[in-house]
Amino acid sequence: MEIIDGVREDMQARQARVSLAELQEQVKQVPPALDAWAALGGPSAERPDLKVISEVKRKSPSKGDLAGISDPAALAVLYRDGGASIISVLTEERRFGGSLADLDAVKAAVDIPVLRKDFTCDEYMIWEARAHGADLVLLIVAALSDEELRSYLALTHELGMNAVVETHTAEEIERAVAVDAKIIGINVRNLKTLDVDRSVFAALAGKIPAGAIVVAESGVRDASDVTHYSENGAHAILVGEALVKDSTPSERIAEFKAAGALAISAR
């Protein structure tokens, strides 16, 4: 993916300033990661409610500028107050306008797990995420080899973190399951065209084994989309655009959770 080239270049610039060895020393001083697996419902077979991963997201390649977000910490607090289980923070700068500074600000403001949302392409970025307090990282199956996926997931667990392992196809789900991923996201946005096809979720969710947490990514516009995902097996949704563009994100999260709980109870 072209975006990975820029992510790697930016990472190498940071690495020139802070070595891996220095990061590893910093990690020793950071409080243990929060339990994101438990925050998403953990091993519960019931999971009667829908969990919401709310995203701090300024812009995207498909939509351009979404929101200025001058105070990511304040937005994160609104998310938490609305009932979000996890806060996702975009740290990719070139296309998403994010930064590690945003991650730092959010982590200092909330007491729920924080996801570093980026295109993880090197173990350095996982150590970096933990050094900045992240409790989860994103691992995109399409961007990683099987060996990288396995080793990155193992490192994540060694550092006490969890990972959202993102998939787009049945083959990618098979690869995620093969490395024993426990939190599996289905992103309904086509990586090549950037188009959203919500029907993809229903076609793929059933391929994820029982016991894993299923996260619906992309395409949440309103409560009807939440209902669709929940009816088709989602335990959690990851939503950014609909929240950052909303003047009352706390209320919107509560609405999404209510719609999800209703759909889950009926399935």
Side-chain angles (χ1 to χ4, degrees):
M1 290 188 285
E2 181 184 345
I3 193 170
I4 298 293
D5 294 335
V7 168
R8 190 176 296 279
E9 185 178 327
D10 292 343
M11 180 202 71
Q12 289 169 344
R14 296 192 305 274
Q15 195 167 11
R17 298 190 297 270
V18 181
S19 70
L20 176 59
E22 289 174 302
L23 277 183
Q24 291 169 336
E25 286 300 313
Q26 290 175 20
V27 166
K28 295 177 182 178
Q29 310 304 317
V30 176
L34 300 177
D35 191 344
W37 166 253
L40 290 174
S44 171
E46 297 293 330
R47 297 198 182 101
D49 63 334
L50 180 78
K51 306 298 184 181
V52 177
I53 304 173
S54 302
E55 193 154 84
V56 176
K57 182 178 185 180
R58 290 188 174 85
K59 60 183 183 180
S60 74
S62 61
K63 296 291 183 68
D65 291 338
L66 299 174
I69 311 182
S70 60
D71 191 345
L75 179 59
V77 169
L78 290 175
Y79 286 167
R80 180 203 62 196
D81 292 349
S85 295
I86 290 174
I87 308 297
S88 171
V89 182
L90 260 302
T91 60
E92 198 280 332
E93 183 174 0
R94 299 188 184 201
R95 290 173 171 81
F96 291 90
S99 69
L100 286 166
D102 287 348
L103 179 64
D104 293 338
V106 169
K107 183 62 183 178
V110 298
D111 54 0
I112 59 176
V114 175
L115 163 68
R116 182 197 182 173
K117 183 94 174 292
D118 210 319
F119 296 80
T120 305
C121 60
D122 192 281
E123 288 190 353
Y124 180 90
M125 293 181 68
I126 300 174
W127 284 98
E128 187 178 49
R130 184 80 280 268
H132 284 266
D135 306 290
L136 309 89
V137 294
L138 180 72
L139 300 178
I140 303 175
V141 174
L144 302 171
S145 67
D146 288 342
E147 181 179 351
E148 287 171 330
L149 184 60
R150 187 178 300 278
S151 65
Y152 292 0
L153 186 59
L155 175 59
T156 299
H157 292 157
E158 286 170 20
L159 294 177
M161 295 190 291
N162 284 280
V164 176
V165 179
E166 179 177 295
T167 65
H168 301 81
T169 65
E171 185 268 339
E172 289 177 11
I173 290 175
E174 289 179 6
R175 293 178 59 202
V177 172
V179 298
D180 200 27
K182 295 299 185 186
I183 305 173
I184 300 178
I186 297 175
N187 194 332
V188 301
R189 187 181 302 280
N190 186 299
L191 283 177
K192 295 179 180 178
T193 66
L194 300 182
D195 292 335
V196 168
D197 181 356
R198 293 168 189 81
S199 68
V200 167
F201 184 83
L204 296 180
K207 300 181 183 300
I208 296 177
I213 291 172
V214 182
V215 183
E217 301 180 50
S218 298
V220 175
R221 299 162 299 187
D222 52 36
S224 66
D225 293 324
V226 177
T227 297
H228 168 74
Y229 287 143
S230 300
E231 287 176 340
N232 286 284
H235 302 124
I237 56 169
L238 191 156
V239 54
E241 180 181 345
L243 296 178
V244 299
K245 295 173 72 173
D246 196 297
S247 60
T248 57
S250 295
E251 288 82 350
R252 197 63 53 237
I253 292 169
E255 178 188 341
F256 289 169
K257 286 178 65 67
L262 186 63
I264 288 171
S265 65
R267 73 186 184 203

